[in-house]
Amino acid sequence: MRATVTAHRDYRIATIDNRLYGAFLEHLGRAIYSGIYEPDHPTADANGMRRDVIELVRELKVPIVRYPGGNFVSAYNWEDGIGPRGQRPTRLDLAWHTSESNAVGVHEFAEWCEAAGAEMMLAINLGSRGLDEARNFVEYVNGPTGSYWGDLRKTNGRAEPFGVKHWCLGNEMDGPWQVGHKTAHEYGRLANEVAKTLRAFDSSLELIVCGSSNSDMKTYPEWERVVLEHCYEAVDHISLHMYFANRAKNAAEYLALNAKLDAYIGAIASTIDFVRAMKRSRKRVTISFDEWNVWYHSNVEDREILGGAKGWPHAPRLLEDIYNFEDVLQVGCILNTFIRRADVVRIACIAQLVNVIAPIMTEPKGAAWRQTTYYPYYFASRYGRGEALQLGVKSPGYDAEVADNVPYLDVSGVYDEEGGTLTFFAVNRHGEKSIDLEASLQGFGEARIVDHQAMTSASLEAANSPKNPKTVTPAKGTGASVKDGLLTATLPPYSYQMLRLSLAAR
Ligand code: AHR
């Protein structure tokens, strides 16, 4: 099967925002406790944080991490997580039916982010709480000493403000499962008032308002229209979430799902434009896709624990999806979609980062290991920075439930002008046929392949585990070449590849 790509140096979509490769950590299951924090672990640093995990996060170059939830945040008291550890209360977490020790709070998370080289993105509880707690939290985190909250932060060991720029105004407020769920009008009005108040403290904050929890919600996309009509001028981004599942064990349908993601982004981009036009506004709100990932492998086990019969365990094994090779292809396609929509998606967070539907897994007292999906995330985050290219793609396709003519070749291209590189991320969705790829490189001058990574597997079900952490890993790709401005490569059936070219200085 043949597919062609045309890449032109001047045909660009947008500069990719580094925050596109962000992640999410929630007080859920073992994400925090025995995930990032385990004071008894042999690699623990002075703050009780696992250095083995920090190293993997640094390897991924995660730019920003959203915290502390998720559904958890909608009944969370941020004050429980500050002050001497011994005096912090244990609370019942209503979102996940667990106990929260509060051993980790905003100070510990800030230290972890610093060690991991990531920026913090904090979520505010607008479920069980409201405006006053929101402004107190922001003042505590960012306010100057010499004021009540700044001085309290100093007493708790940190005189310098944390300087957190990104604030999420609640989480999935459209969801009936959310503590403090609201109608679009109730939430839009509250979000506007909170945003106005936070801006009175610091107008440079980047504020993220909740959009739909997924595009199957009954209120989607009317929710976005109503909410944005309330707060368009006061916020910067609207948050979207989407999780991917292959419950019917149908690879073709599963791997077509990023067409649904693309349509979701397109619909909300249009809704933003609609409200912008209605408001006669010059401002451009953009999308923060701050929860995305594959999530379904652990559903059966989770239902047993979440049934509530087991009381209120602390840090149980929840949402511990073990990813397989098929999910590598899915994550590759999702990241390609974000790169192709870099004009409107400015922030995206893989949900989540450690243990809970995560690329990084840990064993208590044991090793940290990479899931299969770690790798497409790794390649995109490290090498997918620069300008997203508007590629001309011609590929045979197939009809799926979510879209017609889904191309077998899913590809994105990134041009790093300063670094002099051109990188393609390509997925072959066909299970039996190879793709003979021909990419015409126009206006880039001389190019040579400097890195070619390929992921293939005899089984879509192949997965890594603590005992066999290297079953699914990338290998050096072979057979690709560039001649007279034409890049040729063969993409085996069901494969993921990264092709990275170095460009001669122009
Ligand atoms: O990431 C797991 C959960 O998924 C989050 O808590 C919630 O926001 C979403 O429904």
Side-chain angles (χ1 to χ4, degrees), residues 24 26 28 70-71 96 171-172 241 243 291 295 319 352 357:
F24 172 41
E26 178 169 7
L28 194 183
N71 296 339
W96 303 104
N171 175 69
E172 294 189 349
H241 295 172
Y243 290 99
E291 285 188 35
W295 176 11
L319 278 63
Q352 300 189 7
I357 40 173

Side-chain angles (χ1 to χ4, degrees), residues 408-454:
Y408 284 111
L409 171 67
D410 192 282
V411 62
S412 67
V414 178
Y415 174 41
D416 175 1
E417 195 158 8
E418 222 180 279
T421 59
L422 173 60
T423 305
F424 295 99
F425 304 98
V427 173
N428 178 359
R429 291 188 173 99
H430 203 295
E432 282 111 45
K433 292 188 183 162
S434 293
I435 295 177
D436 294 321
L437 172 71
E438 289 175 13
S440 161
L441 314 176
Q442 303 184 358
F444 294 102
E446 234 174 82
R448 65 186 174 88
I449 298 173
V450 282
D451 196 5
H452 181 189
Q453 298 287 331

Side-chain angles (χ1 to χ4, degrees), residues 94-109:
L94 303 179
W96 303 104
H97 215 275
T98 54
S99 290
E100 172 54 52
S101 68
N102 283 302
V104 172
V106 69
H107 285 258
E108 292 77 18
F109 183 64

Side-chain angles (χ1 to χ4, degrees), residues 121-403:
M121 172 168 167
L122 293 178
I124 287 168
N125 174 357
L126 290 187
S128 69
R129 309 185 90 188
L131 195 148
D132 234 20
E133 296 88 347
R135 92 185 166 104
N136 294 345
F137 189 21
V138 175
E139 277 186 42
Y140 181 85
V141 171
N142 285 351
T145 48
S147 68
Y148 176 79
W149 290 110
D151 284 346
L152 183 60
R153 186 189 61 239
K154 185 177 171 193
T155 307
N156 289 333
R158 168 89 184 202
E160 269 301 292
F162 289 112
V164 175
K165 205 167 176 198
H166 301 84
W167 294 86
C168 304
L169 307 176
N171 175 69
E172 294 189 349
M173 299 309 302
D174 63 325
W177 59 86
Q178 203 69 215
V179 171
H181 162 232
K182 290 170 179 51
T183 66
H185 281 290
E186 287 166 349
Y187 171 66
R189 209 179 114 58
L190 174 64
N192 189 50
E193 290 308 313
V194 172
K196 254 172 50 191
T197 308
L198 301 188
R199 290 216 181 284
F201 166 72
D202 178 358
S203 61
S204 74
L205 297 177
E206 283 199 42
L207 302 178
I208 300 131
V209 71
C210 295
S212 293
S213 303
N214 59 70
S215 58
D216 293 326
M217 296 298 293
K218 277 204 195 108
T219 46
Y220 161 84
E222 180 65 357
W223 171 276
E224 281 81 353
R225 181 190 67 77
V226 173
V227 166
L228 284 176
E229 275 185 38
H230 279 283
C231 64
Y232 193 86
E233 296 297 340
V235 301
D236 300 287
H237 312 280
I238 184 152
S239 147
L240 302 181
H241 295 172
M242 181 169 173
Y243 290 99
F244 298 71
N246 184 10
R247 292 199 186 84
K249 295 267 166 242
N250 181 332
E253 290 296 340
Y254 178 56
L255 295 177
L257 285 177
N258 69 324
K260 184 171 173 180
L261 168 67
D262 189 67
Y264 184 16
I265 294 168
I268 299 312
S270 302
T271 309
I272 293 170
D273 281 347
F274 173 79
V275 177
R276 179 170 181 259
M278 263 185 64
K279 301 250 173 210
R280 279 48 173 172
S281 174
R282 283 174 60 88
K283 178 177 183 163
R284 277 203 188 275
V285 167
T286 55
I287 293 173
S288 170
F289 217 107
D290 45 40
E291 285 188 35
W292 67 266
N293 208 347
V294 174
W295 176 11
Y296 77 101
H297 295 283
S298 65
N299 287 171
V300 175
E301 294 91 320
D302 291 341
R303 258 194 295 277
E304 272 179 33
I305 300 175
L306 290 170
K310 297 201 169 68
W312 300 87
H314 176 65
R317 286 182 184 264
L318 272 176
L319 278 63
E320 298 204 5
D321 271 35
I322 298 302
Y323 293 122
N324 59 28
F325 178 72
E326 188 180 47
D327 302 323
V328 169
L329 307 177
Q330 181 67 276
V331 167
C333 289
I334 296 169
L335 286 161
N336 278 346
T337 307
F338 289 138
I339 291 171
R340 292 191 294 255
R341 300 311 301 243
D343 54 333
V344 64
V345 182
R346 290 292 152 76
I347 303 174
C349 302
I350 189 169
Q352 300 189 7
L353 187 57
V354 184
N355 285 336
V356 171
I357 40 173
I360 299 170
M361 298 298 286
T362 70
E363 280 305 307
K365 300 209 160 50
W369 52 281
R370 298 169 185 84
Q371 292 240 46
T372 59
T373 52
Y374 182 94
Y375 298 102
Y377 178 39
Y378 168 91
F379 289 125
S381 174
R382 291 191 76 99
Y383 305 116
R385 302 190 188 211
E387 302 282 317
L389 291 177
Q390 183 73 61
L391 303 176
V393 179
K394 281 193 189 154
S395 162
Y398 63 99
D399 290 344
E401 261 172 44
V402 291

